[in-house]
Amino acid sequence: MTTKLASPGAPVTFNQETTHDLELTVRDLKLWYGENQALKGIDLDIYENNITALIGPSGCGKSTFLRCLNRMNDLIPTVRTEGEIMMEGRNVLSKEVDEVALRKKVGMVFQKPNPFPKSIYENVAYAPRMHDIVPAGKEQDELVETSLRAAGLWEEVKDQLGSPGTSLSGGQQQRLCIARAIAVQPSVILMDEPTSALDPISTATIEDLMYELKKEYTIVVVTHNMQQAARIADYTAFFHLGEVIEYNDTATMFSTPSEKRTEDYITGRYG
Amino acid sequence: MSQSLDDISRQLKKRHRKSARMKWLSFGALLLAGVFLVLFLADMLIKGLPAFQQAYIQVEVNYSERASELPLAAVEADVRELVSRGYLRLIPNRMEANPDLLGTQRMEWVLADDEVDQYLQGADSSLSAKHKAVVDRLTEAGRAELQFNTGFFTNGDSKLPEMAGLASAAVGSVMLLIVTLAFAFPVGVMTAVYLEEFAPDNRFTRFIDVNINNLAAIPSILFGLLGLAIFINFFGAPRSSALAGGLTLGLMTLPIIIITARAALSSVPDSIRHAAFGVGATRWQTVRDHVLPLSMPGILTGSIIGMAQALGETAPLIIIGMIAFIPDAPTSFTQAATVLPAQIYTWASMPESAYVERTAAGIIVLLSVLITLNATAVYLRKKFEHRW
Ligand SMILES: Nc1ncnc2c1ncn2[C@@H]1O[C@H](COP(=O)(O)OP(=O)(O)OP(=O)(O)O)[C@@H](O)[C@H]1O
Ligand SMILES: [Mg+2]
């Protein structure tokens, strides 16, 4: 099946053994930085417990799109958005949805690891404590442990929870950031080029981790690495100049792309 | 046609000579500045060091009935002029506090008159030849000597130079700085937080921005006038009180704190803010839990420098009347107080040479405190310097 765009209304079904539930539906999303339009009407369905990869040449709006999903763009004063992103039956872009609440549901991992300059423990415990997810004490310790375990970092840091998060290696820092994100118990995790600052071994670790994490979370990941998208993503969207040119399940996308531009980009002829 | 190497060298010689001349000229400027600094410090030390020692003489004190009425009678006539009148004046009080003293007679080391002090320190003294002879005799007998001048640090100002100390001015300075800090630190930091973290970038905030920078360059005496108008005339704070003075200096310090706090806040990278927003922190939580703690060393450094400036400030305090003669340290923020630089200023206008010493000694003390404060600021900055 080769839908170019996920058509509005009817969720696309792919020829896989399970049908997937929708986590987020994006409809006609447009975004301007001042006068400059960066997103020109994006339609995209994001499926629960899947990894969706966003690929495309530099400056095509992947990061911008990702930041719409948890409204990090609100922090940029010149930004103006139109369209809708539906989650749990509500448009998260509307004023009635509190962006702080949204960010608890939709966590984010950044391109450059950015742990807080505090202890490893505090990095993970800070947000759950702030959201009153657990009381301080034993339950908090447990949440820190499960989060670090889920991020595959527990064994490496369990004896140095008090040392600063910034003293870890780059790959460990990125996993700490993942632990920090999942400690808030979100349903979606956004990752903007999470491995671009890491060495191949750390990259492989994080990829394995993402594979594990999708059992519990919906992951949207931006990547410049075609092999990475092919390896880990269930669905892939190809962005170009603020539009989604093609969106499909990854296998189809990489074997028989329906658009010439997609094929050119995937095979490295431009981008 | 290309120039020959010789031609170029000839021209170069002139340029090199000029370069060397400029190098020596600028080095000379540095040397001149250095010489002035050394001269100033040496002059202060030479003039001020004697004030850290004070003459004491051993005399027989007679706690008679009569002395409790007429303290002069407590000591022998020949040394009466040599003993500090400040000491004599206190004899009746001491006898009242300690009735056992009545009728006793004993040898005591007592504070000498300032002219005896000048004579013993080898300076000009208006002591008569007869008294000089008495002092010489006492010295030979080991009954006159210079001791460390603790009174300089424990006494308030006095009309008797040998009794004058900077304790009340020091207490006044500390109280003033407490008020200044309590006012300028929270207001300054919160203003900086608003401008840096919350304010939209529009014409109004840019206007405020420019004006805060201008405020930092305003002559300090104008802040005195502002303080006089606002705090004393409008709000009715008592004149020459630590409250009025501290608030006035607070106005002066505010722009410094705002500017340095903003610089410290903006040096915290956005990645930290994004991390906090990303886990669902509100703007205030982001600031309070992450941005402020990281910028605190910078803010403290700026505040210490602001405090150091406030500590050395005199002009605005003169305007609000803090130049009065204050013998006793203030015990509340609304009492009349004076501060170290104002005390130095008062002493500088006194004729007695003992006050000249004290002026210089006061400057030495003030400079030491200022250098310590600034060194602390530099140390803090070095220690907590972040490399992101
Ligand atoms: N903060 C901003 N202010 C103004 N314009 C921006 C801002 N961020 C991005 N843009 C513009 O929006 C467009 C999309 O940028 P975006 O960062 O989303 O691209 P990207 O696909 O993530 O690129 P890359 O692969 O290089 O990360 C670009 O033209 C960029 O110049
Ligand atoms: Mg990007």
Short mmCIF file of all heavy atoms in Angstrom, two decimals, chain A residues 202-242:
data_model
loop_
_atom_site.label_atom_id
_atom_site.label_comp_id
_atom_site.label_asym_id
_atom_site.label_seq_id
_atom_site.Cartn_x
_atom_site.Cartn_y
_atom_site.Cartn_z
N SER A 202 27.90 4.16 21.11
CA SER A 202 26.82 4.79 21.87
C SER A 202 25.55 4.88 21.02
O SER A 202 24.44 4.71 21.52
CB SER A 202 27.21 6.20 22.30
OG SER A 202 28.44 6.18 22.97
N THR A 203 25.74 5.15 19.73
CA THR A 203 24.60 5.23 18.82
C THR A 203 23.85 3.90 18.80
O THR A 203 22.62 3.86 18.93
CB THR A 203 25.08 5.60 17.41
OG1 THR A 203 25.75 6.85 17.47
CG2 THR A 203 23.91 5.69 16.45
N ALA A 204 24.60 2.82 18.67
CA ALA A 204 23.96 1.50 18.64
C ALA A 204 23.21 1.23 19.94
O ALA A 204 22.09 0.73 19.93
CB ALA A 204 25.02 0.43 18.41
N THR A 205 23.82 1.63 21.07
CA THR A 205 23.16 1.44 22.37
C THR A 205 21.82 2.16 22.40
O THR A 205 20.81 1.63 22.85
CB THR A 205 24.05 1.98 23.50
OG1 THR A 205 25.39 1.56 23.26
CG2 THR A 205 23.59 1.48 24.85
N ILE A 206 21.84 3.42 21.93
CA ILE A 206 20.62 4.21 21.97
C ILE A 206 19.57 3.63 21.02
O ILE A 206 18.38 3.59 21.32
CB ILE A 206 20.92 5.69 21.61
CG1 ILE A 206 21.96 6.26 22.58
CG2 ILE A 206 19.65 6.52 21.55
CD1 ILE A 206 21.50 7.27 23.55
N GLU A 207 20.02 3.15 19.87
CA GLU A 207 19.07 2.54 18.93
C GLU A 207 18.39 1.32 19.56
O GLU A 207 17.17 1.16 19.47
CB GLU A 207 19.77 2.15 17.63
CG GLU A 207 20.10 3.36 16.75
CD GLU A 207 20.79 2.97 15.46
OE1 GLU A 207 20.85 1.77 15.14
OE2 GLU A 207 21.28 3.88 14.76
N ASP A 208 19.19 0.48 20.20
CA ASP A 208 18.61 -0.70 20.88
C ASP A 208 17.59 -0.24 21.92
O ASP A 208 16.52 -0.82 22.08
CB ASP A 208 19.70 -1.51 21.57
CG ASP A 208 20.61 -2.19 20.55
OD1 ASP A 208 20.19 -2.25 19.37
OD2 ASP A 208 21.71 -2.61 20.93
N LEU A 209 17.98 0.82 22.63
CA LEU A 209 17.13 1.34 23.68
C LEU A 209 15.79 1.81 23.11
O LEU A 209 14.73 1.54 23.67
CB LEU A 209 17.88 2.49 24.35
CG LEU A 209 17.16 3.23 25.45
CD1 LEU A 209 16.81 2.26 26.56
CD2 LEU A 209 18.07 4.33 25.99
N MET A 210 15.86 2.52 21.98
CA MET A 210 14.63 3.02 21.37
C MET A 210 13.73 1.85 21.00
O MET A 210 12.50 1.92 21.14
CB MET A 210 14.95 3.86 20.13
CG MET A 210 15.54 5.21 20.47
SD MET A 210 16.33 6.01 19.07
CE MET A 210 14.91 6.55 18.17
N TYR A 211 14.34 0.79 20.53
CA TYR A 211 13.57 -0.40 20.17
C TYR A 211 12.82 -0.94 21.38
O TYR A 211 11.66 -1.33 21.29
CB TYR A 211 14.52 -1.46 19.59
CG TYR A 211 13.79 -2.42 18.70
CD1 TYR A 211 13.47 -2.05 17.40
CD2 TYR A 211 13.41 -3.67 19.16
CE1 TYR A 211 12.76 -2.92 16.58
CE2 TYR A 211 12.71 -4.54 18.35
CZ TYR A 211 12.38 -4.15 17.05
OH TYR A 211 11.68 -5.00 16.26
N GLU A 212 13.51 -0.95 22.53
CA GLU A 212 12.86 -1.40 23.76
C GLU A 212 11.76 -0.43 24.19
O GLU A 212 10.68 -0.84 24.60
CB GLU A 212 13.90 -1.48 24.89
CG GLU A 212 14.80 -2.69 24.84
CD GLU A 212 14.00 -3.98 24.96
OE1 GLU A 212 13.16 -4.07 25.89
OE2 GLU A 212 14.19 -4.87 24.10
N LEU A 213 12.07 0.86 24.08
CA LEU A 213 11.16 1.88 24.61
C LEU A 213 9.84 1.94 23.85
O LEU A 213 8.82 2.33 24.41
CB LEU A 213 11.83 3.26 24.56
CG LEU A 213 12.96 3.50 25.56
CD1 LEU A 213 13.58 4.86 25.31
CD2 LEU A 213 12.44 3.42 26.99
N LYS A 214 9.84 1.55 22.60
CA LYS A 214 8.60 1.71 21.84
C LYS A 214 7.50 0.78 22.34
O LYS A 214 6.34 0.96 22.01
CB LYS A 214 8.84 1.54 20.34
CG LYS A 214 9.01 0.12 19.88
CD LYS A 214 9.01 0.10 18.37
CE LYS A 214 9.10 -1.34 17.87
NZ LYS A 214 9.02 -1.40 16.41
N LYS A 215 7.87 -0.23 23.14
CA LYS A 215 6.84 -1.07 23.74
C LYS A 215 5.93 -0.23 24.64
O LYS A 215 4.75 -0.53 24.79
CB LYS A 215 7.48 -2.19 24.58
CG LYS A 215 8.19 -3.23 23.72
CD LYS A 215 8.94 -4.22 24.57
CE LYS A 215 9.83 -5.08 23.71
NZ LYS A 215 10.97 -5.63 24.46
N GLU A 216 6.51 0.78 25.24
CA GLU A 216 5.71 1.58 26.16
C GLU A 216 5.42 2.99 25.68
O GLU A 216 4.49 3.63 26.18
CB GLU A 216 6.43 1.68 27.51
CG GLU A 216 6.63 0.33 28.14
CD GLU A 216 6.68 0.41 29.64
OE1 GLU A 216 6.05 1.34 30.19
OE2 GLU A 216 7.36 -0.43 30.23
N TYR A 217 6.25 3.48 24.78
CA TYR A 217 6.09 4.87 24.37
C TYR A 217 6.00 4.96 22.86
O TYR A 217 6.44 4.07 22.14
CB TYR A 217 7.29 5.72 24.84
CG TYR A 217 7.58 5.56 26.31
CD1 TYR A 217 8.53 4.63 26.74
CD2 TYR A 217 6.90 6.32 27.25
CE1 TYR A 217 8.79 4.47 28.09
CE2 TYR A 217 7.16 6.16 28.60
CZ TYR A 217 8.11 5.23 29.01
OH TYR A 217 8.36 5.07 30.34
N THR A 218 5.42 6.09 22.44
CA THR A 218 5.43 6.41 21.02
C THR A 218 6.63 7.30 20.78
O THR A 218 6.84 8.26 21.51
CB THR A 218 4.14 7.16 20.66
OG1 THR A 218 3.03 6.36 21.08
CG2 THR A 218 4.06 7.44 19.19
N ILE A 219 7.42 6.96 19.78
CA ILE A 219 8.65 7.74 19.58
C ILE A 219 8.62 8.40 18.20
O ILE A 219 8.28 7.78 17.20
CB ILE A 219 9.89 6.82 19.69
CG1 ILE A 219 9.96 6.24 21.12
CG2 ILE A 219 11.16 7.58 19.35
CD1 ILE A 219 11.08 5.27 21.32
N VAL A 220 8.94 9.70 18.20
CA VAL A 220 9.12 10.41 16.93
C VAL A 220 10.57 10.88 16.91
O VAL A 220 11.02 11.56 17.84
CB VAL A 220 8.18 11.63 16.82
CG1 VAL A 220 8.32 12.26 15.44
CG2 VAL A 220 6.75 11.23 17.08
N VAL A 221 11.32 10.49 15.89
CA VAL A 221 12.74 10.77 15.89
C VAL A 221 13.14 11.43 14.58
O VAL A 221 12.72 11.01 13.50
CB VAL A 221 13.56 9.48 16.16
CG1 VAL A 221 13.24 8.39 15.16
CG2 VAL A 221 15.05 9.76 16.20
N VAL A 222 13.93 12.50 14.71
CA VAL A 222 14.51 13.14 13.52
C VAL A 222 15.89 12.53 13.31
O VAL A 222 16.65 12.38 14.26
CB VAL A 222 14.67 14.66 13.74
CG1 VAL A 222 15.42 15.29 12.57
CG2 VAL A 222 13.32 15.31 13.91
N THR A 223 16.19 12.15 12.10
CA THR A 223 17.54 11.63 11.87
C THR A 223 18.03 12.00 10.48
O THR A 223 17.25 12.15 9.54
CB THR A 223 17.60 10.10 12.09
OG1 THR A 223 18.92 9.67 11.83
CG2 THR A 223 16.64 9.37 11.18
N HIS A 224 19.32 12.17 10.38
CA HIS A 224 19.96 12.42 9.08
C HIS A 224 20.59 11.15 8.56
O HIS A 224 21.17 11.13 7.49
CB HIS A 224 21.06 13.49 9.24
CG HIS A 224 20.53 14.87 9.11
ND1 HIS A 224 20.19 15.41 7.90
CD2 HIS A 224 20.26 15.83 10.02
CE1 HIS A 224 19.74 16.64 8.08
NE2 HIS A 224 19.76 16.91 9.36
N ASN A 225 20.49 10.10 9.38
CA ASN A 225 21.18 8.86 9.06
C ASN A 225 20.17 7.89 8.46
O ASN A 225 19.29 7.37 9.15
CB ASN A 225 21.79 8.34 10.36
CG ASN A 225 22.56 7.06 10.15
OD1 ASN A 225 22.27 6.29 9.25
ND2 ASN A 225 23.55 6.85 11.01
N MET A 226 20.26 7.64 7.13
CA MET A 226 19.29 6.80 6.43
C MET A 226 19.28 5.38 6.99
O MET A 226 18.24 4.78 7.20
CB MET A 226 19.62 6.74 4.93
CG MET A 226 19.40 8.04 4.21
SD MET A 226 17.77 8.70 4.52
CE MET A 226 18.20 10.16 5.38
N GLN A 227 20.50 4.86 7.25
CA GLN A 227 20.56 3.49 7.79
C GLN A 227 19.84 3.43 9.12
O GLN A 227 19.16 2.46 9.42
CB GLN A 227 22.02 3.03 7.98
CG GLN A 227 22.75 2.70 6.70
CD GLN A 227 23.29 3.97 6.05
OE1 GLN A 227 23.40 5.00 6.69
NE2 GLN A 227 23.59 3.90 4.76
N GLN A 228 20.01 4.48 9.92
CA GLN A 228 19.36 4.49 11.22
C GLN A 228 17.84 4.45 11.06
O GLN A 228 17.17 3.64 11.70
CB GLN A 228 19.76 5.74 12.00
CG GLN A 228 19.17 5.78 13.40
CD GLN A 228 19.78 6.88 14.22
OE1 GLN A 228 19.62 8.06 13.91
NE2 GLN A 228 20.49 6.51 15.26
N ALA A 229 17.33 5.28 10.18
CA ALA A 229 15.89 5.29 9.94
C ALA A 229 15.44 3.91 9.49
O ALA A 229 14.46 3.34 9.99
CB ALA A 229 15.54 6.34 8.90
N ALA A 230 16.17 3.33 8.56
CA ALA A 230 15.80 2.01 8.04
C ALA A 230 15.85 0.95 9.14
O ALA A 230 15.01 0.06 9.20
CB ALA A 230 16.74 1.62 6.90
N ARG A 231 16.83 1.07 10.04
CA ARG A 231 16.99 0.07 11.09
C ARG A 231 15.88 0.14 12.12
O ARG A 231 15.33 -0.87 12.54
CB ARG A 231 18.32 0.28 11.82
CG ARG A 231 19.52 -0.39 11.18
CD ARG A 231 20.70 -0.42 12.15
NE ARG A 231 21.12 0.89 12.63
CZ ARG A 231 22.06 1.62 12.03
NH1 ARG A 231 22.68 1.19 10.95
NH2 ARG A 231 22.40 2.79 12.53
N ILE A 232 15.56 1.36 12.59
CA ILE A 232 14.73 1.44 13.79
C ILE A 232 13.29 1.86 13.54
O ILE A 232 12.41 1.55 14.34
CB ILE A 232 15.33 2.41 14.83
CG1 ILE A 232 15.50 3.79 14.22
CG2 ILE A 232 16.63 1.87 15.38
CD1 ILE A 232 15.81 4.84 15.24
N ALA A 233 13.02 2.59 12.44
CA ALA A 233 11.70 3.21 12.34
C ALA A 233 10.67 2.26 11.76
O ALA A 233 10.97 1.45 10.88
CB ALA A 233 11.80 4.47 11.48
N ASP A 234 9.43 2.36 12.27
CA ASP A 234 8.32 1.63 11.68
C ASP A 234 7.75 2.43 10.51
O ASP A 234 7.38 1.89 9.49
CB ASP A 234 7.24 1.40 12.73
CG ASP A 234 7.78 0.61 13.91
OD1 ASP A 234 8.14 -0.56 13.72
OD2 ASP A 234 7.87 1.19 15.02
N TYR A 235 7.69 3.74 10.72
CA TYR A 235 7.19 4.62 9.67
C TYR A 235 8.23 5.70 9.43
O TYR A 235 8.97 6.08 10.33
CB TYR A 235 5.87 5.29 10.09
CG TYR A 235 4.79 4.28 10.40
CD1 TYR A 235 4.39 4.06 11.71
CD2 TYR A 235 4.21 3.54 9.38
CE1 TYR A 235 3.42 3.12 11.99
CE2 TYR A 235 3.25 2.59 9.66
CZ TYR A 235 2.85 2.38 10.96
OH TYR A 235 1.90 1.46 11.23
N THR A 236 8.24 6.20 8.21
CA THR A 236 9.18 7.26 7.88
C THR A 236 8.45 8.33 7.08
O THR A 236 7.65 8.01 6.20
CB THR A 236 10.36 6.71 7.07
OG1 THR A 236 11.00 5.68 7.82
CG2 THR A 236 11.38 7.80 6.78
N ALA A 237 8.73 9.57 7.45
CA ALA A 237 8.16 10.69 6.70
C ALA A 237 9.31 11.46 6.07
O ALA A 237 10.29 11.77 6.74
CB ALA A 237 7.35 11.60 7.61
N PHE A 238 9.17 11.77 4.79
CA PHE A 238 10.21 12.54 4.10
C PHE A 238 9.74 13.98 3.98
O PHE A 238 8.73 14.28 3.35
CB PHE A 238 10.50 11.92 2.73
CG PHE A 238 11.43 12.76 1.90
CD1 PHE A 238 12.70 13.10 2.37
CD2 PHE A 238 11.04 13.22 0.65
CE1 PHE A 238 13.55 13.88 1.62
CE2 PHE A 238 11.89 14.01 -0.11
CZ PHE A 238 13.15 14.33 0.37
N PHE A 239 10.47 14.87 4.62
CA PHE A 239 10.16 16.30 4.60
C PHE A 239 11.00 16.98 3.54
O PHE A 239 12.16 16.64 3.33
CB PHE A 239 10.51 16.96 5.95
CG PHE A 239 9.45 16.81 7.00
CD1 PHE A 239 9.12 15.56 7.50
CD2 PHE A 239 8.81 17.93 7.52
CE1 PHE A 239 8.17 15.43 8.49
CE2 PHE A 239 7.86 17.81 8.52
CZ PHE A 239 7.53 16.55 9.00
N HIS A 240 10.39 17.98 2.89
CA HIS A 240 11.17 18.77 1.95
C HIS A 240 10.55 20.16 1.87
O HIS A 240 9.37 20.29 1.59
CB HIS A 240 11.18 18.10 0.58
CG HIS A 240 12.06 18.81 -0.41
ND1 HIS A 240 13.36 19.15 -0.12
CD2 HIS A 240 11.82 19.23 -1.67
CE1 HIS A 240 13.89 19.76 -1.16
NE2 HIS A 240 12.98 19.83 -2.11
N LEU A 241 11.34 21.18 2.16
CA LEU A 241 10.90 22.58 2.10
C LEU A 241 9.56 22.81 2.81
O LEU A 241 8.65 23.45 2.27
CB LEU A 241 10.78 23.01 0.63
CG LEU A 241 12.09 23.02 -0.16
CD1 LEU A 241 11.82 23.34 -1.62
CD2 LEU A 241 13.06 24.05 0.43
N GLY A 242 9.47 22.27 4.01
CA GLY A 242 8.29 22.57 4.82
C GLY A 242 7.07 21.73 4.47
O GLY A 242 5.98 22.03 4.93
#
